[in-house]
Amino acid sequence: MDSSAPTPPIPPASRPRRRDRHGRGMRGPIAPPQVPLAVSRADAFDDLVRDAADRLERRWPQLADVEFAVQEVPWPQDGPATDGDTVPLGRLISAAKDRPSRIVVYRRPVEIRAKTRDERALLVHEIVVEQVAELLGLSPENVDPKYGED
């Protein structure tokens, strides 16, 4: 083989890509992870449910065995709405022999009803309080004395 022979060019597809096609470099994330913009709506909603549950668990230690969950929308097999055509915002699933009680908050119906983050936080807390009250057999005012205050 002749060592003076030129090497064949590397096809573009097999070359490592160091820059985008405009030569400006690879794109990165829009916002750094510590900025609130980097948190998705679903993650922010999960945090609201977790905060409401933590507040109530401090007052009611028996809630440590209760699971709190977020679901996008209610499933049709969850049963018809009790108030006619209204969509439920939350649901209590009673304990069975193989699983603990579960309180489910439905994210999309809550987001539709509450436009701001503060309204959403208040509505999520009220839903969790109502479901805990149903679980404990108490009134919502007994579960959280600030229930219903704006």
Side-chain angles (χ1 to χ4, degrees):
M1 226 172 148
D2 186 8
S3 62
S4 63
T7 58
I10 299 173
S14 62
R15 274 188 253 156
R17 193 168 196 189
R18 289 190 169 71
R19 296 189 174 270
D20 66 357
R21 68 184 196 162
H22 299 289
R24 290 185 224 126
M26 299 299 284
R27 291 188 174 194
I30 294 174
Q34 65 272 17
V35 177
L37 177 65
V39 178
S40 70
R41 287 188 325 192
D43 290 340
F45 192 86
D46 291 347
D47 290 342
L48 291 176
V49 172
R50 192 174 305 114
D51 290 344
D54 289 345
R55 259 190 348 196
L56 291 175
E57 282 179 8
R58 285 192 293 268
R59 183 175 165 101
W60 302 94
Q62 60 265 44
L63 294 178
D65 296 333
V66 176
E67 292 180 355
F68 292 87
V70 174
Q71 192 173 320
E72 290 295 310
V73 293
W75 291 94
Q77 65 264 23
D78 288 346
T82 56
D83 299 340
D85 292 333
T86 60
V87 176
L89 303 177
R91 179 172 182 225
L92 170 66
I93 302 171
S94 300
K97 61 182 177 184
D98 60 336
R99 63 173 169 71
S101 295
R102 177 180 291 170
I103 293 175
V104 180
V105 180
Y106 300 116
R107 183 174 75 89
R108 293 297 297 147
V110 171
E111 286 180 340
I112 290 169
R113 284 172 180 76
K115 299 301 180 199
T116 67
R117 179 171 167 73
D118 292 337
E119 287 178 8
R120 202 172 304 123
L122 182 63
L123 185 56
V124 165
H125 182 68
E126 287 182 357
I127 293 165
V128 171
V129 167
E130 290 168 359
Q131 300 305 319
V132 167
E134 185 179 335
L135 175 69
L136 300 176
L138 300 170
S139 70
E141 293 80 13
N142 289 338
V143 172
D144 184 11
K146 295 182 181 180
Y147 173 78
E149 295 178 8
D150 289 328

